[in-house]
Amino acid sequence: SRGLGDVYKRQGLERVLKRPGDFQQFLHSPVLVKLYRPRDGAKEYPGTLEGYDNGRVTIATGSGSLTFEKSEIAQVRLRVEF
């Protein structure tokens, strides 16, 4: 049996953002930024996509804005909120 997560992944609701156009299309969407190495003790940062500039990704979190350099980012994917 398939869980709801499988349905959402198939529909692209947790898709990985790769191209600049992906980031523009999903500006202000909930995302999860995964890092290669921990920053301040964490490798995953949920937030709202606020900006993309030459590989630099900025997200808004409950405690303010965070910007990640392209070299830090392992993956950025859309985050499903229920």
Side-chain angles (χ1 to χ4, degrees):
S1 86
R2 291 194 166 148
L4 270 179
D6 293 335
V7 172
Y8 290 115
K9 286 178 186 170
R10 276 201 313 275
Q11 293 177 354
L13 296 178
E14 291 186 351
R15 71 180 277 185
V16 176
L17 305 184
K18 296 179 182 176
R19 300 182 317 254
D22 293 340
F23 289 92
Q24 294 303 320
Q25 179 181 354
F26 293 104
L27 210 55
H28 308 295
S29 296
V31 295
L32 180 66
V33 177
K34 295 184 179 187
L35 305 179
Y36 288 114
R37 287 181 278 315
R39 181 202 262 194
D40 299 326
K43 285 180 77 172
E44 295 187 355
Y45 286 88
T48 302
L49 182 60
E50 291 296 314
Y52 179 82
D53 181 35
N54 272 343
R56 295 177 75 211
V57 174
T58 301
I59 62 170
T61 68
S63 56
S65 290
L66 292 172
T67 299
F68 302 95
E69 298 297 329
K70 185 177 183 177
S71 60
E72 295 182 273
I73 300 169
Q75 185 179 78
V76 179
R77 71 169 53 239
L78 292 179
R79 188 166 48 94
V80 178
E81 291 186 328
F82 293 101

